[in-house]
Amino acid sequence: MTTWLVTGGAGYIGSHVVRELLASGRAVVVLDDLSSGHASRVPAGVAFVQADVADGQAVTQVLQDHAIDGVVHLAAKKAVGESVEQPLRYYRENVDGMLSLLEAMAASNVTRLVYSSSAAVYGSPERNPIPETATLQPESPYGETKVVGEWLAAAQGAASGLSWVALRYFNVAGAGSDDLGDDSVNNLIPMVFAALDKGESPQIFGDDYPTPDGTCIRDYIHVADLASAHAAAAAYCEAHQAADAFNVGRGEGSSVREVMNTISAVIGRDVQAQVAPRRMGDPPASTAATEQILLTLGWKSQLDLEAMVASAWSSWSAHRSR
Ligand code: WQD
């Protein structure tokens, strides 16, 4: 049985990845600085170390104390807008953190890495669905830091035999269980729920895009599906000398209005969304090409938009009622 360290494992995505790795028969250790994660999300019996991934000494200690075989690296800042306002903080936390982790891994001879990247590396795509070979032209410091992280993994892989897979997440939503929902109100679905809780109309940022209904199209992926992609990537890193980046999406786009309609259907009433001005930097459409991850990892998504919205609403409602 292999043992994997999950950095950011007390977070929304990380806590799902931890459970999926355990379910796949691997042992897990969690490292998280709790800047946005919650210790309560770490399952009983799983070793938890509260530390900053950029703290090389602490990370080296964990790698050696627990005889870590591989690392799933999720710990990073991920709010696009915030990265525009605080680029140096994003480079410090996302790039320095990755660099420090790779140095600690090399010093401890840990040779497997699954790295959390993002569709933000593509910026405004030239075409959809977006293949992994598309030009990486990020349009935010956040997206830039994700590209640099991939470069670091690729360079270290070529120099040292690190077996690595970067997973380029599209739009993550949903909850594997009510206690693991996304409580950071940074993305469409929780933003709609927050507006409804305040008795406000949710906003559609622009309905004059060149899309069938005029609203932006995104490729939403259930966080439970995303977690299973990490277990597939870990298995691949264990069995091969991997050096790959894969999109993680459904390969299917949903417009903002379709998401609003799905939320209305799930909660049983019309959310009465209002059209607001466009938001800077939003590409009209962004959907994943998904052939490569199926071909190489044998992974494909299982859950649809309705399952994402229903599970997100169930988790949101459960939290509100506490
Ligand atoms: C989705 C769509 C908005 C809120 C970002 C990052 C990406 C990844 C996921 C980290 C857009 C519209 C939103 C609202 C709206 N994060 N919207 N009303 O911008 O596609 O992707 O988060 O990896 O890197 O870029 O996600 O959820 O913010 O927006 O109309 O109240 O919903 O304009 O078209 P986005 P999002």
Side-chain angles (χ1 to χ4, degrees):
M1 174 170 71
T2 54
T3 302
W4 285 74
L5 174 68
V6 181
T7 74
Y12 162 53
I13 295 172
S15 54
H16 287 88
V17 170
V18 165
R19 284 158 177 77
E20 190 65 31
L21 289 174
L22 291 170
S24 69
R26 293 173 175 83
V28 175
V29 175
V30 171
L31 182 138
D32 198 300
D33 66 3
L34 298 184
S35 57
S36 60
H38 306 285
S40 61
R41 288 176 180 229
V42 180
V46 170
F48 169 54
V49 176
Q50 183 174 350
D52 182 339
V53 70
D55 178 346
Q57 208 163 4
V59 173
T60 300
Q61 194 68 53
V62 174
L63 295 176
Q64 293 174 359
D65 288 354
H66 296 276
I68 297 295
D69 297 294
V71 178
V72 177
H73 178 40
L74 306 172
K77 302 285 298 166
K78 66 162 199 162
V80 172
E82 186 183 56
S83 79
V84 176
E85 294 152 14
Q86 305 176 41
L88 302 185
R89 184 178 175 205
Y90 269 68
Y91 269 90
R92 171 69 62 203
E93 298 210 16
N94 293 4
V95 175
D96 227 16
M98 175 70 160
L99 192 52
S100 178
L101 172 67
L102 289 173
E103 287 171 332
M105 289 174 69
S108 308
N109 195 28
V110 176
T111 59
R112 302 175 179 105
L113 172 71
V114 176
Y115 166 65
S116 165
S117 187
S118 166
V121 302
Y122 297 118
S124 295
E126 289 140 4
R127 60 192 168 91
N128 282 294
I130 311 169
E132 285 85 349
T133 52
T135 311
L136 303 188
Q137 43 191 15
E139 294 171 351
S140 67
Y142 164 73
E144 293 164 0
T145 67
K146 287 297 163 181
V147 172
V148 175
E150 290 192 20
W151 289 345
L152 287 168
Q156 182 65 350
S160 72
L162 175 75
S163 178
W164 63 276
V165 166
L167 296 177
R168 294 173 180 167
Y169 304 174
F170 277 69
N171 289 58
V172 189
S177 54
D178 281 356
D179 58 332
L180 298 181
D182 180 6
D183 58 3
S184 74
V185 188
N186 280 322
N187 293 112
L188 175 60
I189 292 170
M191 286 169 78
V192 172
F193 294 163
L196 295 173
D197 275 3
K198 288 184 279 190
E200 296 168 0
S201 288
Q203 295 196 309
I204 295 176
F205 295 156
D207 69 345
D208 57 350
Y209 285 96
T211 60
D213 68 12
T215 67
C216 288
I217 292 171
R218 293 290 182 274
D219 187 333
Y220 296 91
I221 178 78
H222 199 296
V223 64
D225 275 336
L226 180 66
S228 69
H230 286 74
Y236 185 72
C237 285
E238 289 168 350
H240 301 82
Q241 181 59 44
D244 295 275
F246 298 111
N247 292 332
V248 187
R250 283 191 300 143
E252 197 177 311
S254 305
S255 73
V256 176
R257 199 169 286 287
E258 283 169 336
V259 173
M260 297 292 187
N261 293 341
T262 305
I263 294 173
S264 296
V266 163
I267 70 175
R269 62 184 167 86
D270 182 347
V271 298
Q272 295 181 329
Q274 303 293 316
V275 177
R278 287 185 174 194
R279 180 175 70 174
M280 282 286 288
D282 278 334
S286 166
T287 54
T290 54
E291 297 80 4
Q292 285 311 308
I293 193 168
L294 176 60
L295 199 63
T296 311
L297 303 190
W299 179 90
K300 74 186 303 296
S301 64
Q302 305 295 319
L303 298 162
D304 64 10
L305 180 66
E306 201 272 338
M308 287 177 233
V309 170
S311 60
W313 180 246
S314 174
S315 172
W316 182 273
S317 308
H319 269 261
R320 184 196 320 114
S321 61
R322 273 185 209 148

